[in-house]
């Protein structure tokens, strides 16, 4: 199947399939004489694995490790569990950061009058925070 067909079957874009191939997550496709990529039906489970891993927020590096474990029938499930556990910790840190950002922005929005006057605590905070960051560099 060509890359367009593989994209449709896997739910990934052709661009992402090429990217996964370039990064080594997906083995290099066979090429026609004119250079077009040809994928085998055996490539579809790997593409589905990569897509689902990305949907769960795993990094490309983590997906590479997961693929290695998936392909190793002698693997220990403890290794997979440990990798997933580390990813959960990363997700929890990101959630905490996002909640902090949301709370800060909510506070700024609640202090903004939202009227016709030009005074805006949101813009004032953005401007002052940028100056503090630039001064620290």
């Amino acid at each position: 199947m060509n890359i367009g067909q593989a994209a449709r079957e896997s739910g990934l874009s052709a661009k992402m399939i090429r990217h996964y191939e370039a990064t080594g997550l997906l083995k290099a496709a066979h090429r026609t004489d004119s250079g077009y990529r040809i994928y085998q039906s055996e490539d579809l489970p790997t593409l589905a694995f990569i897509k689902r891993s990305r949907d769960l927020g795993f990094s490309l590096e983590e997906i590479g490790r997961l693929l290695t474990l998936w392909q190793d029938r002698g693997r220990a499930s403890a290794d997979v569990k440990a990798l997933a556990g580390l990813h959960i910790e990363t997700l929890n840190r990101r959630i905490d950061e996002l909640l902090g950002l949301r709370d800060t922005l909510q506070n700024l929005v609640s202090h903004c009058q939202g009227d016709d006057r030009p005074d805006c605590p949101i813009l004032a905070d953005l401007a002052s925070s940028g100056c503090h960051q630039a001064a620290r560099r």
Side-chain angles (χ1 to χ4, degrees), residues 3 25 32 45-46 48 53 57 61 64 78-79 84 114 125 131:
I3 196 166
L25 288 180
T32 65
T46 302
S53 298
E61 181 182 325
D79 295 337
D125 181 82
C131 291

Side-chain angles (χ1 to χ4, degrees), residues 31-37:
R31 299 285 185 137
T32 65
D33 290 339
S34 55
Y36 290 103
R37 290 173 170 85

